[in-house]
Amino acid sequence: MGSTGSGSFSDYPGSRPKEGGEGAGSGGASGEDRCARAFSCVLEEVEQCDYFAASGGVPPANTALTIEHSGRLFAVDASGQTVGALPTSLNYLADCMAEGFTYEGRVNSSASAPVASVSVDFAPRTP
């Protein structure tokens, strides 16, 4: 009835342990490169972003988006306007982007009411 982990965040998949430090093993990693996986997400804070402020709405389906890291991960359109923030569960992508990965996506669905929402499918571009 106990934990076999090291008590460090390195026990969780996607974390980066200190070199040579305790818990510097596989940390529960599955061996799969999360950076190279396509994913879908629903953007957050859409109504507080540039696109919504400028247009009063959300981008239509099939709008091309990329991801930028500006203190937080944001989906941006071709003109550089933020459309929405990525969920914090995808924060590991910041490390992937630092390694040279880029992500391109398309709006899958969007709605302005009752609450603005944008669903996006992203695919990686390897370095």
Side-chain angles (χ1 to χ4, degrees), residues 11-40:
D11 294 336
Y12 296 95
S15 63
R16 297 178 177 265
K18 294 178 183 174
E19 286 299 316
E22 187 177 308
S26 62
S30 66
E32 180 180 353
D33 185 1
R34 295 194 308 171
C35 295
R37 283 193 298 189
F39 63 94
S40 299

Side-chain angles (χ1 to χ4, degrees), residues 66 77 103:
T66 57
D77 68 4
Y103 296 88

Side-chain angles (χ1 to χ4, degrees), residues 1-121:
M1 265 198 89
S3 172
T4 58
S6 66
S8 300
F9 282 111
S10 63
D11 294 336
Y12 296 95
S15 63
R16 297 178 177 265
K18 294 178 183 174
E19 286 299 316
E22 187 177 308
S26 62
S30 66
E32 180 180 353
D33 185 1
R34 295 194 308 171
C35 295
R37 283 193 298 189
F39 63 94
S40 299
C41 67
V42 176
L43 300 178
E44 300 175 346
E45 301 177 15
V46 173
E47 294 174 345
Q48 287 78 41
C49 288
D50 299 336
Y51 190 96
F52 192 87
S55 68
V58 294
N62 212 30
T63 300
L65 301 176
T66 57
I67 298 175
E68 284 187 3
H69 186 210
S70 306
R72 184 166 178 190
L73 295 172
F74 285 96
V76 298
D77 68 4
S79 67
Q81 290 184 315
T82 57
V83 174
L86 273 67
T88 57
S89 62
L90 297 172
N91 280 353
Y92 69 89
L93 292 173
D95 287 337
C96 299
M97 293 172 71
E99 292 176 9
F101 281 86
T102 58
Y103 296 88
E104 298 174 1
R106 297 264 172 202
V107 173
N108 182 5
S109 64
S110 60
S112 293
V115 175
S117 68
V118 179
S119 176
V120 187
D121 296 328

